[in-house]
Amino acid sequence: MAGEGEEVYVAAIDQGTTSTRFIVYDRHAKPVASHQLEFKQHYPEAGWVEHDPMEIIETVKVCMKEAVEKAKDGKFNVVAGLKAIGITNQRETTVMWSKSTGLPLYNAIVWMDARTSPVCSELSGGRTHFVETCGLPISTYFSALKLLWLMENVDAVKDAVRNSDALFGTIDTWLIWNLTGGVHGGQHVTDCSNASRTMLMNLKTLDWDKPALDALGVPAEILPKIISNSEKIGVVAKEFPLAGVPISGCLGDQHAAMLGQLCRMGEAKSTYGTGAFILLNTGEEPTQSSHGLLSTIAYKLGPTAPTNYALEGSIAIAGAAVQWLRDSLGIIQTAAEIEKLAETVSDSGGVYFVPAFNGLFAPWWRDDARGICIGITRFTNKGHIARAVLESMCFQVNDVLSSMHKDAGEAGEVKSAEGEFLLRVDGGATVNNLLMQIQADLLGSPVMRPADIETTALGAAYAAGIAAGVWTKEQVFAGLHKENTTVFRPKLDEIHRKKRADSWYKAVSRSFDLADLSL
């Protein structure tokens, strides 16, 4: 453990779907400096979403440098006191690169990209073929299908695989390989939480599943080594700021948020970002879902530590629908404006918005669904549309939580001191108080928001700090500092809540079988 007298810091790289952040925390896990950069989204065809891997690396460099400068301005000696860096990342986003040149062989295919729908249809064995071993249904969501598309459709990838020059990874792997030296000895690894999202890892052995690799035709030599979430991986290379600092933790963003929220067995959290992701810690044994959820890793805090598993419900479009209102329709100029606009009306006026832009994830798993907005009348104005967009996030979270309770039973019921179900929330969209109140109203249960809503980065910092000896696991889960939380309590009565839920289900059903309407 670090001595009380010395200046001690732990940092986190939070590489998300639309931006990159670098946050520095003190010994009490309080943020002292941060920097954030957005990067370009590429949409080469309808349903396709890509990122430039080289731009992502550059944003990491810039965010590290600028955060350190801000810390210096605040009189924090981060360069001398930084003990470890943790990484958290957008999951499932898939990169292939050359191990001899270090250059990407194609743009990164983003987790929400739907181009692999034909690949999913062609696979034999049915949608649940890999569920028993890997916990995931066959879906456009997961990395294995994106990898198959790259190997089948990109000549540079085909050649590199044939010449043993190809490396595969999710964004964590790409970052770690570059940060630890790249072509000059970079570490080709992934952590077990990110690996659990590829559809290639056996949930019980935490190793690549040979039958899955054989069935899909994935060569094992292109895959990274799987490690735990909290261990020393390597040190930052000289071409990056903070060279020599150990990288000691790595988790996929939703797993990091779960750790940041300190979710133990039976506790659940929902993160609201580009998508929305609800995870329930189910303890040290994986739980198979029969209600449209995913079995996945929660976290494993050390090579010999027990593995905590989770049930997850993944929602593709949450905050991204707000960005759509801003960027495509021009109804708002900034994302923050949606709260004020939605408050101009008392309800959605009977309007329901289903944001199935590229299909629906949990618990529906419908690639053929497309976005709809129904219930529009001459009375409808942009305030009703804005409110319906916010409600769509909350209805989708409710759908997942309902399935979660059916799968997990009593273990899925998180109780407050008053004996109520309690949903922990985090992510950028939770600053919207109206959204949080709508969530409590439609859920019929309290919603608790921490003072620091960036729990994704915090979870990565916890993992790195534990591995570096800055904190023990016991100290982290006991709470390194006391925070003020905000609790939103439901105000909607049960009769109206049920009517709204029934109308939502009708709206969702009308979004099915629409994928071919544009042809």
Side-chain angles (χ1 to χ4, degrees):
M1 295 295 297
E4 277 297 325
E6 63 178 306
E7 220 170 343
V8 173
Y9 303 100
V10 177
I13 296 168
D14 181 358
Q15 204 300 297
T17 307
T18 59
S19 69
T20 299
R21 276 178 297 199
F22 189 78
I23 304 179
V24 181
Y25 298 89
D26 66 15
R27 67 164 63 245
H28 304 292
K30 288 283 192 181
V32 300
S34 67
H35 192 75
Q36 181 173 5
L37 277 179
E38 290 192 0
F39 53 88
K40 187 174 180 180
Q41 307 293 302
H42 299 267
Y43 306 102
E45 293 187 27
W48 293 27
V49 190
E50 297 177 359
H51 293 158
D52 179 352
M54 298 306 292
E55 184 183 6
I56 287 176
I57 285 294
E58 187 59 30
T59 62
V60 170
K61 280 186 179 180
V62 172
C63 287
M64 292 172 76
K65 179 178 180 294
E66 293 299 322
V68 169
E69 288 301 314
K70 289 178 181 179
K72 192 182 299 181
D73 292 342
K75 310 302 181 186
F76 299 105
N77 191 3
V78 170
V79 174
L82 189 60
K83 303 300 182 185
I85 296 172
I87 293 174
T88 183
N89 58 286
Q90 52 168 314
R91 303 172 304 169
E92 297 95 17
T93 297
T94 301
V95 190
M96 290 285 284
W97 68 97
S98 163
K99 63 182 175 184
S100 60
T101 68
L103 297 175
L105 299 167
Y106 190 81
N107 270 350
I109 300 180
V110 180
W111 57 271
M112 68 178 78
D113 185 287
R115 77 185 67 187
T116 58
S117 186
V119 182
C120 296
S121 303
E122 293 163 6
L123 290 177
S124 60
R127 195 176 72 86
T128 61
H129 182 69
F130 300 103
V131 165
E132 188 174 344
T133 53
C134 300
L136 308 176
I138 293 172
S139 166
T140 60
Y141 187 14
F142 305 114
S143 306
L145 284 306
K146 304 179 199 305
L147 171 58
L148 291 188
W149 187 92
L150 288 165
M151 291 195 299
E152 291 171 4
N153 294 278
V154 179
D155 288 340
V157 172
K158 293 178 187 176
D159 292 342
V161 171
R162 189 183 307 116
N163 297 324
S164 300
D165 189 42
L167 295 177
F168 157 83
T170 41
I171 292 296
D172 60 305
T173 307
W174 169 247
L175 293 182
I176 291 169
W177 190 80
N178 280 279
L179 284 165
T180 58
V183 295
H184 304 294
Q187 298 296 305
H188 188 219
V189 302
T190 188
D191 74 273
C192 55
S193 67
N194 275 293
S196 74
R197 313 300 298 183
T198 61
M199 214 173 75
L200 298 173
M201 189 192 82
N202 187 300
L203 276 180
K204 292 189 175 179
T205 66
L206 303 191
D207 203 354
W208 301 118
D209 188 69
K210 190 174 186 305
L213 300 187
D214 292 343
L216 296 171
V218 174
E221 57 268 21
I222 70 173
L223 301 176
K225 176 185 176 184
I226 300 174
I227 60 172
S228 76
N229 300 120
S230 182
E231 61 182 272
K232 184 176 177 180
I233 301 167
V235 299
V236 176
K238 61 183 179 182
E239 59 266 33
F240 287 88
L242 301 171
V245 176
I247 297 172
S248 302
C250 183
L251 306 93
D253 51 10
Q254 304 314 316
H255 316 268
M258 185 171 231
L259 180 57
Q261 288 272 31
L262 305 178
C263 289
R264 299 175 177 85
M265 181 178 174
E267 296 183 334
K269 69 87 195 173
S270 179
T271 298
Y272 302 74
T274 303
F277 303 87
I278 305 92
L279 273 79
L280 168 73
N281 188 328
T282 58
E284 295 180 19
E285 289 292 329
T287 299
Q288 294 293 343
S289 173
S290 56
H291 296 90
L293 303 180
L294 310 176
S295 299
T296 191
I297 300 293
Y299 45 74
K300 180 180 175 66
L301 299 178
T304 61
T307 303
N308 272 237
Y309 292 90
L311 281 171
E312 175 173 341
S314 307
I315 295 164
I317 303 295
V322 178
Q323 294 171 332
W324 175 74
L325 286 183
R326 180 193 67 190
D327 300 338
S328 297
L329 299 190
I331 288 177
I332 52 176
Q333 299 304 307
T334 66
E337 289 176 21
I338 192 172
E339 181 174 11
K340 187 175 180 181
L341 178 58
E343 285 177 332
T344 62
V345 294
S346 59
D347 55 45
S348 64
V351 175
Y352 289 82
F353 175 72
V354 182
F357 293 162
N358 294 325
L360 288 172
F361 287 174
W364 311 100
W365 298 107
R366 295 291 296 250
D367 292 343
D368 62 335
R370 288 297 178 267
I372 62 170
C373 190
I374 64 173
I376 297 172
T377 68
R378 185 65 182 83
F379 171 72
T380 303
N381 63 40
K382 60 184 180 181
H384 296 114
I385 302 296
R387 197 170 185 110
V389 166
L390 294 183
E391 288 183 352
S392 74
M393 300 187 210
C394 303
F395 277 124
Q396 291 181 97
V397 170
N398 288 5
D399 293 343
V400 168
L401 285 168
S402 176
S403 295
M404 205 163 264
H405 288 305
K406 290 172 185 174
D407 280 326
E410 288 300 314
E413 294 191 3
V414 188
K415 304 290 186 180
S416 70
E418 293 78 26
E420 302 169 293
F421 174 84
L422 181 69
L423 178 66
R424 300 162 185 251
V425 297
D426 56 75
T430 61
V431 298
N432 187 321
N433 289 330
L434 178 60
L435 175 68
M436 294 295 95
Q437 186 59 54
I438 291 172
Q439 184 68 81
D441 286 342
L442 297 180
L443 183 60
S445 299
V447 168
M448 186 178 74
R449 181 179 66 193
D452 182 2
I453 62 170
E454 302 302 343
T455 57
T456 302
L458 182 59
Y462 282 156
I466 289 169
V470 175
W471 308 301
T472 65
K473 282 181 273 192
E474 292 74 21
Q475 285 176 318
V476 167
F477 279 94
L480 292 170
H481 54 82
K482 297 300 180 184
E483 283 192 346
N484 294 321
T485 58
T486 304
V487 178
F488 297 85
R489 297 191 174 276
K491 299 176 182 177
L492 191 67
D493 64 78
E494 188 60 34
I495 293 174
H496 286 90
R497 185 178 300 118
K498 187 177 186 308
K499 285 182 177 178
R500 299 298 312 281
D502 290 344
S503 296
W504 164 255
Y505 290 135
K506 290 178 183 177
V508 170
S509 69
R510 285 161 170 76
S511 74
F512 298 159
D513 298 313
L514 297 179
D516 295 331
L517 287 185
S518 61
L519 298 179

